[in-house]
């Protein structure tokens, strides 16, 4: 008989004991170690995932901040550029307006100076010209010239046919009038009118008839005065 | 010539006896238990671990994976029984390279004991999984007529388990013994290597068949759960 039943039972018992031994010495420790390792790995993986997520979050946050910073910087730069440009424009305008004002002022000053100088030159020239003219005419003034002048005066007076007033008349001359000429003037004016004769050297060869605010005159001094007035008027107009 | 190590008796008292089968079984148990204890004494739970720990982890996880592939969804539960079956038969085969060692699996008493354990474990796990009533119902499926055939199937497959393992292991040992007498050099070594291979295959077949039987006994309830 190949089967020994005692051995069968003994081997069955041995096998069950072996199962128990293997459970306690092999499977449980090994499985426990594997489980522990898997847990550790899972924990490490979870931590790694968390860290990765945190790192990703921080990276995103950093990127976001960077972008925001860039935008702010660009905005600030743009604003600063605009402000600088505006300030530059304003300063430029100010400088231009100041320069223009200065130029205008300078031009005005120059014009004024020019006008003053011109006036001064004109005045001086006038004065010199008139002085020379006066001196020349004074030097040339003689009785014969006076006589001719009185004659011209009488002719003009005759031509003018003035409505003479009844008041006294004053005749001013540079030199004393000869009696013939005084009589000729009295004839023209009329004997009923009181005629007075005065001698004024400033007239420079001339005669002047004055009565109640009316005046009829012919003298080189008047011509010179008119010329002076005309020259002065031209000078003012040219300076303006 | 002895067909079984049962015939080698070391001690006997009444019906109690200490034969080579039991002694070599204790030796295998000692190697397995002490070896496991020594290796698992300082287990590392980090990524750094010893080669022996690696080996044991590979074996244990490999067995677990095989059990899962057979169809048992909770391999932890069956690992103790099925894993020990595999390891016992495999280590018994491996030890045949030790001169003078006779594998206990070469004894029909041992294979019968193992088959008996499987014969008891199948209804044990089946009843535990689906309850006594449901488990017994599986014997009358698909019809009541199938009851005797199912019972015969249970007994015959248990017998087949025992005889298959015994036949393979015993024949291997016998061939080596015969070859030793005819050609004592080279051929016995080749046959020992072949015996190692067949022994490993038998260990795998024995444990896988046990797993399949247990899976068949526990599957009905799972099928119902899937349907519901």
């Amino acid at each position: 008989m190949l089967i020994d039943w005692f051995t069968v039972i003994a081997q069955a018992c041995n096998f069950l004991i072996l199962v128990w031994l293997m459970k306690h010495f092999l499977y449980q420790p090994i499985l426990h170690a594997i489980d522990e390792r898997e847990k550790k790995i899972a924990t490490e993986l979870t931590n790694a995932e968390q860290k990765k997520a945190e790192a990703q979050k921080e990276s995103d946050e950093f990127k976001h901040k960077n972008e925001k910073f860039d935008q702010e910087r660009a905005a600030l730069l743009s604003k600063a550029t605009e402000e600088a440009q505006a300030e530059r424009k304003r300063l430029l305008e100010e400088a231009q307006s100041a320069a223009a004002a200065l130029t205008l002022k300078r031009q005005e000053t120059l014009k004024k100076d020019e006008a003053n100088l011109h006036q001064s030159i004109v005045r001086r020239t006038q004065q010199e010209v008139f002085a020379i003219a006066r001196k020349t005419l004074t030097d040339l003034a003689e009785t014969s010239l006076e006589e001719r002048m009185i004659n011209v005066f009488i002719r003009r007076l005759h031509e003018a046919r003035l409505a003479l007033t009844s008041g006294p008349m004053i005749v001013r001359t540079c030199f004393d009038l000869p009696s013939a000429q005084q009589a000729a003037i009295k004839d023209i004016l009329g004997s009923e009118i009181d005629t007075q004769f005065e001698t004024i050297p400033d007239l420079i060869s001339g005669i002047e008839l004055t009565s109640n605010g009316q005046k009829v005159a012919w003298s080189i001094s008047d011509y010179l005065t008119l010329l002076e007035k005309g020259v002065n008027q031209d000078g003012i107009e040219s300076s303006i | 010539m002895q067909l079984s190590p049962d015939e080698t008796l070391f001690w006997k008292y009444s019906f109690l006896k200490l034969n080579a089968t039991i002694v070599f079984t204790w030796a295998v148990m000692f190697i397995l238990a002490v070896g496991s204890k020594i290796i698992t004494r300082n287990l590392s739970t980090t990524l750094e671990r010893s080669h022996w720990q690696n080996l044991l982890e590979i074996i244990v996880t490999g067995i677990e994976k095989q059990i899962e592939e057979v169809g048992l969804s909770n391999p932890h539960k069956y690992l103790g029984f099925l894993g020990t079956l595999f390891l016992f038969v495999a280590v018994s085969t491996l030890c045949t390279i030790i001169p003078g060692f006779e594998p206990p699996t070469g004894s029909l008493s041992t294979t019968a004991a193992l088959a008996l354990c499987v014969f008891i474990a199948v209804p044990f796990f089946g009843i535990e999984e689906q309850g006594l009533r449901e488990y017994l119902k599986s014997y009358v499926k698909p019809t009541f007529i199938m009851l005797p055939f199912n019972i015969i199937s249970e007994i015959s497959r248990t017998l087949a388990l025992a005889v298959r393992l015994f036949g393979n292991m015993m024949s291997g040992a016998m061939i080596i013994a015969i070859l030793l007498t005819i050609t004592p050099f080279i051929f016995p070594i080749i046959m020992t290597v072949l015996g190692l291979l067949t022994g490993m295959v038998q260990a795998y077949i024995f444990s896988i068949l046990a797993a399949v039987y247990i899976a068949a006994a526990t599957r009905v309830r799972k099928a119902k759960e899937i349907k519901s």
Side-chain angles (χ1 to χ4, degrees):
Chain A
M1 183 65 180
L2 287 172
I3 294 178
D4 177 32
W5 289 109
F6 172 76
T7 311
V8 170
I9 293 162
Q11 287 295 76
C13 292
N14 282 337
F15 178 73
L16 292 176
I17 291 164
L18 184 62
V19 168
W20 185 84
L21 286 172
M22 296 306 282
K23 264 190 176 178
H24 280 82
F25 294 141
L26 182 64
Y27 306 128
Q28 281 178 358
I30 289 286
L31 290 173
H32 179 71
I34 290 170
D35 286 347
E36 284 291 315
R37 189 180 305 119
E38 281 178 355
K39 273 183 194 171
K40 274 187 182 174
I41 290 168
T43 313
E44 281 175 9
L45 281 174
T46 312
N47 288 340
E49 282 293 324
Q50 279 178 351
K51 280 182 183 172
K52 194 180 169 186
E54 280 174 15
Q56 185 65 40
K57 193 180 168 188
E58 281 179 10
S59 170
D60 289 344
E61 203 173 334
F62 180 70
K63 274 184 188 170
H64 181 68
K65 277 184 180 174
N66 251 1
E67 281 172 6
K68 200 176 170 185
F69 177 72
D70 283 345
Q71 283 174 356
E72 281 177 2
R73 193 181 62 175
L76 282 173
L77 196 66
S78 169
K79 195 181 171 187
T81 309
E82 281 174 9
E83 281 178 359
Q85 279 178 350
E87 185 67 18
R88 180 172 165 272
K89 198 176 173 185
R90 190 182 65 77
L91 287 171
L92 209 62
E93 281 173 359
E94 269 184 19
Q96 280 174 347
S97 61
L102 277 173
T103 309
L104 196 68
K105 199 176 174 184
R106 189 165 153 270
Q107 281 177 351
E108 281 174 2
T109 310
L110 279 173
K111 277 180 183 174
K112 268 184 189 175
D113 287 350
E114 193 183 347
N116 287 339
L117 185 64
H118 186 257
Q119 272 187 346
S120 170
I121 289 166
V122 167
R123 200 176 297 122
R124 185 70 186 268
T125 308
Q126 283 174 8
Q127 282 172 359
E128 290 295 324
V129 166
F130 292 133
I132 290 164
R134 269 180 218 282
K135 196 171 185 305
T136 309
L137 289 172
T138 308
D139 290 343
L140 290 174
E142 289 179 0
T143 312
S144 57
L145 181 65
E146 287 287 319
E147 282 174 5
R148 286 191 63 83
M149 282 168 64
I150 298 298
N151 289 335
V152 171
F153 178 73
I154 291 166
R155 194 174 67 238
R156 285 195 178 179
L157 196 65
H158 190 71
E159 285 168 2
R161 293 177 186 174
L162 293 170
L164 299 171
T165 56
S166 59
M169 288 190 152
I170 299 166
V171 177
R172 291 191 185 99
T173 55
C174 182
F175 301 96
D176 292 333
L177 281 176
S179 54
Q181 288 180 337
Q182 285 184 2
I185 291 166
K186 277 185 179 179
D187 284 343
I188 292 165
L189 296 174
S191 58
E192 68 273 12
I193 295 169
D194 180 22
T195 310
Q196 294 173 8
F197 293 95
E198 288 179 8
T199 305
I200 298 165
D202 287 346
L203 286 174
I204 316 169
S205 303
I207 187 164
E208 185 182 285
L209 181 73
T210 309
S211 173
N212 291 332
Q214 288 183 327
K215 185 179 170 184
V216 176
W218 190 94
S219 70
I220 293 170
S221 180
D222 280 346
Y223 279 127
L224 289 172
T225 307
L226 279 172
L227 178 64
E228 194 175 353
K229 278 183 182 174
V231 169
N232 284 337
Q233 191 66 33
D234 288 346
I236 289 161
E237 281 174 1
S238 67
S239 68
I240 289 165
Chain B
M1 183 180 281
Q2 293 177 346
L3 277 176
S4 165
D6 289 3
E7 293 166 23
T8 309
L9 277 175
F10 296 111
W11 177 80
K12 186 177 179 184
Y13 178 78
S14 181
F15 68 95
L16 300 173
K17 54 182 107 172
L18 190 64
N19 52 31
T21 308
I22 295 170
V23 171
F24 287 129
T25 302
W26 285 351
V28 170
M29 284 168 70
F30 181 80
I31 290 166
L32 281 171
V34 173
S36 301
K37 181 65 187 170
I38 289 168
I39 294 168
T40 58
R41 192 177 45 191
N42 292 318
L43 282 177
S44 159
T45 54
T46 60
L47 292 173
E48 297 283 329
R49 48 192 186 271
S50 66
H51 297 302
W52 287 107
Q53 186 182 342
N54 251 346
L55 178 72
L56 285 190
E57 283 185 10
I58 289 166
I59 291 167
V60 171
T61 50
I63 294 167
E64 217 175 29
K65 199 176 173 187
Q66 286 296 322
I67 293 168
E68 203 170 3
E69 280 180 7
V70 165
L72 293 165
S73 58
N74 185 14
H76 275 50
K77 189 176 170 185
Y78 309 102
L79 181 66
F81 181 73
L82 296 170
T84 309
L85 266 181
F86 174 78
L87 287 176
F88 178 69
V89 177
V91 173
S92 298
T93 307
L94 273 176
C95 287
T96 52
I97 57 169
I98 301 166
F101 183 86
E102 287 186 49
T105 45
S107 154
L108 190 59
S109 304
T110 307
T111 55
L114 295 180
L116 201 65
C117 287
V118 175
F119 182 75
I120 294 164
V122 169
F124 174 79
F125 287 120
I127 291 164
E128 191 187 44
E129 192 70 28
Q130 30 178 337
L132 179 63
R133 194 183 186 84
E134 286 296 321
Y135 177 72
L136 290 176
K137 269 186 184 175
S138 66
Y139 281 96
V140 294
K141 283 178 181 175
T143 60
F144 184 74
I145 304 159
M146 293 303 288
L147 177 64
F149 299 104
N150 281 331
I151 292 165
I152 291 163
S153 162
E154 287 285 323
I155 295 163
S156 65
R157 75 187 186 190
T158 306
L159 195 64
L161 265 182
V163 174
R164 185 188 300 112
L165 184 59
F166 165 70
N168 278 287
M169 298 312 293
M170 185 268 288
S171 63
M174 287 293 288
I175 290 164
I176 292 162
I178 292 162
L179 281 174
L180 274 173
T181 56
I182 301 166
T183 54
F185 299 108
I186 302 170
F187 277 111
I189 297 169
I190 294 165
M191 290 315 294
T192 307
V193 173
L194 198 65
L196 280 175
L197 180 69
T198 53
M200 283 296 159
V201 172
Q202 286 308 313
Y204 178 74
I205 289 171
F206 195 94
S207 48
I208 280 292
L209 281 174
V212 168
Y213 298 153
I214 292 168
T218 57
R219 195 174 295 161
V220 182
R221 186 179 174 186
K222 279 175 193 160
K224 278 183 183 174
E225 280 173 1
I226 290 165
K227 274 183 185 176
S228 65

